[in-house]
Amino acid sequence: MTASTEPTDKRSLRRAFVASLSGTTLEYYDFAAYSVAAATLFGTLFFPSGDALVGTMAAFSTYAVGYLARPLGGFIFGRLGDKLGRKQVLVFTLLLTGIATFLIGILPTHASIGGWAAVILVLLRFAQGVGVGGEWGGAVLLSSEFGDPKKRGFWASAAQIGPPAGNLLANGVIALLAAVMSKAAFESWGWRIAFLLSGVLVIFGLWLRMKLEETPVFKKIAEKGEAPTAPLKEVFTKEPRALIAGILVRVCPDVLYSLFTVFVLTYMTTELGMSRSEGLTAVMIGSAFQLFLMPAAGALSDRINRRTLYTVGTIAAAVWPFIFFPMASTGSFLAVAVGMVIALAIHALLYGPQAALITEQFTARLRYTGSSLAYTLAGPIGGAVAPLIFTALLAAYDSWFAVALYLVATAVLTGIGIALSRQAPEEEPVVTTAETVEVAR
């Protein structure tokens, strides 16, 4: 690299990092706003019944729809990302998620239009899921393909900071609205403000992404005419082990995150008698720490074996619920907040290096498709059904112990994924042919 080109390259790298971070933050703000509302409000507003548990289960069912829709987004946008480029696809995913969230903000409730409210809500949640499903793979590549492959863990973590940042922003907005408004006003119309803000945030995100250039890796692939014509088929036929490994390593972190950012809100209010604001505050504190822990964990994975670090995080995830729930049972907000910080720190240890671990399993020309499929196909067996299963286990056994055992089972699946995965060579991305080695470089 010459002195004349270095400033431009560094500027492009920084711009890509910010665009990746901000884009995923905006999309996960949308996703998290729904998650919080599902745990605290939507059961009553859109799925009213005489049984609070039934209403919560119904609301969590629409939460699951967002995850179940992600594979469709992965199939559609992952394929387009490897054929057309990273930048164009990321503009579409941001628009899709943002518009769906804005429409939720103006959606009439069950009291106004009856059962159609629930139907439309499910459709909009589905659209959110499709957008997020296509977002992650491209956002990861946006930052990592501009950066040094030896520092892929750090640069790829830009997209990983998005979920806690979006979660923090969504919880913060909803907590602020709940604090400054009466309970009646907040439940009547105040919650809508959090969803309507998405429109403003999307405009900002689009402005950032439209200023970006295509990644150097995809430019070289396009110049050599190496873009795949059937990326979905190639991933399933030529790189199945990479796909299975990528799916399984996501399961435990997804379930862990659902446990401590979604289900715990319900557990604290229904089982511990704590207020909604206390639950949201605890989640916000834990998410704030993740903003720094995510890139730190990504950078750490560049220095030590990524698979070893991931194994340590998986074991910690399996153990922590057996410590957290006895702490939380005291009803002390301090105990819950500390427990939440540690839980989300463990999640950061997994999630920070996860993007690099998954993307480096695939060749450069199939990386968007492979990464997107791994990310989205993990949802239906991980985060999508986790709140439903947690709620059902708590209702059936009236004990947190069954909830903790479920997380242990998912940790076993992730352990299998780690065993199937491979560590990328430090000097170059994972590739399979001499031609794609040159392209990736």
Side-chain angles (χ1 to χ4, degrees):
M1 182 181 293
T2 65
S4 62
T5 61
E6 184 174 1
T8 301
D9 291 341
K10 285 187 175 181
R11 187 161 54 248
S12 297
L13 179 56
R14 288 194 295 268
R15 187 178 295 167
F17 188 91
V18 172
S20 177
L21 168 60
S22 60
T24 52
T25 297
L26 297 180
E27 296 211 29
Y28 276 91
Y29 167 85
D30 297 344
F31 216 70
Y34 186 96
S35 300
V36 175
T40 58
L41 289 169
F42 282 177
T44 301
L45 295 176
F46 293 95
F47 306 95
S49 75
D51 189 331
L53 176 62
V54 172
T56 300
M57 290 283 283
F60 278 159
S61 295
T62 58
Y63 170 86
V65 165
Y67 276 93
L68 294 174
R70 287 184 182 185
L72 180 60
F75 275 90
I76 295 173
F77 294 114
R79 176 179 178 274
L80 292 176
D82 279 328
K83 290 172 66 69
L84 304 178
R86 318 328 190 188
K87 174 184 172 179
Q88 295 183 56
V89 171
L90 289 172
V91 170
F92 289 126
T93 60
L94 185 62
L95 275 173
L96 179 59
T97 308
I99 291 173
T101 305
F102 183 84
L103 292 177
I104 290 175
I106 61 175
L107 178 63
T109 64
H110 185 276
S112 299
I113 60 174
W116 282 107
V119 173
I120 298 172
L121 181 65
V122 170
L123 291 175
L124 292 175
R125 179 61 171 176
F126 186 87
Q128 275 190 327
V130 172
V132 172
E135 164 72 18
W136 184 83
V140 168
L141 300 185
L142 192 63
S143 55
S144 64
E145 289 187 347
F146 272 102
D148 182 354
K150 293 182 180 180
K151 298 180 180 178
R152 188 183 298 114
F154 171 74
W155 291 115
S157 71
Q160 304 302 83
I161 304 171
N167 191 45
L168 180 63
L169 184 60
N171 278 277
V173 169
I174 292 177
L176 178 63
L177 291 172
V180 300
M181 303 175 71
S182 68
K183 181 179 180 181
F186 176 73
E187 293 182 354
S188 174
W189 58 269
W191 62 271
R192 297 182 182 276
I193 297 174
F195 290 86
L196 295 176
L197 281 175
S198 178
V200 178
L201 298 176
V202 165
I203 293 173
F204 174 71
L206 286 174
W207 175 75
L208 282 175
R209 290 193 170 177
M210 293 300 291
K211 292 170 68 68
L212 282 175
E213 297 180 4
E214 187 54 79
T215 71
V217 171
F218 185 80
K219 281 182 178 180
K220 291 183 178 180
I221 292 173
E223 288 171 4
K224 290 178 175 289
E226 291 289 332
T229 57
L232 288 171
K233 179 180 179 181
E234 287 194 53
V235 168
F236 282 108
T237 58
K238 296 182 179 180
E239 303 189 11
R241 175 170 175 166
L243 181 59
I244 293 172
I247 291 171
L248 293 181
V249 298
R250 277 192 50 79
V251 175
C252 180
D254 263 16
V255 174
L256 178 70
Y257 194 70
S258 294
L259 174 60
F260 287 102
T261 62
V262 181
F263 173 76
V264 162
L265 294 176
T266 300
Y267 185 82
M268 289 175 64
T269 56
T270 60
E271 298 296 317
L272 303 182
M274 302 178 73
S275 69
R276 178 193 309 159
S277 62
E278 286 179 313
L280 293 175
T281 302
V283 171
M284 288 171 58
I285 293 172
S287 296
F289 276 93
Q290 283 195 308
L291 297 179
F292 307 98
L293 293 174
M294 291 286 191
L300 181 61
S301 74
D302 289 325
R303 296 179 176 273
I304 64 176
N305 187 287
R306 226 183 306 278
R307 296 167 72 246
T308 301
L309 182 65
Y310 214 86
T311 300
V312 171
T314 302
I315 294 172
V319 171
W320 184 244
F322 295 95
I323 302 173
F324 171 80
F325 282 106
M327 288 174 55
S329 65
T330 64
S332 164
F333 171 75
L334 179 60
V336 170
V338 171
M340 195 80 76
V341 168
I342 296 174
L344 294 182
I346 294 171
H347 179 261
L349 191 64
L350 289 163
Y351 205 67
Q354 183 185 95
L357 179 63
I358 291 176
T359 58
E360 66 194 8
Q361 303 302 310
F362 301 94
T363 58
R365 57 191 296 277
L366 297 174
R367 200 171 284 151
Y368 201 143
T369 302
S371 300
S372 295
L373 290 179
Y375 175 78
T376 58
L377 291 175
I381 58 174
V385 296
L388 285 168
I389 292 177
F390 290 147
T391 305
L393 288 173
L394 183 64
Y397 297 99
D398 194 26
S399 170
W400 59 263
F401 195 77
V403 171
L405 287 179
Y406 176 65
L407 184 59
V408 171
T410 66
V412 172
L413 290 177
T414 289
I416 295 172
I418 296 171
L420 290 173
S421 68
R422 57 170 292 182
Q423 182 81 3
E426 292 184 0
E427 69 274 7
E428 64 188 22
V430 173
V431 287
T432 58
T433 69
E435 184 68 15
T436 50
V437 168
E438 181 61 28
V439 169
R441 286 176 175 169

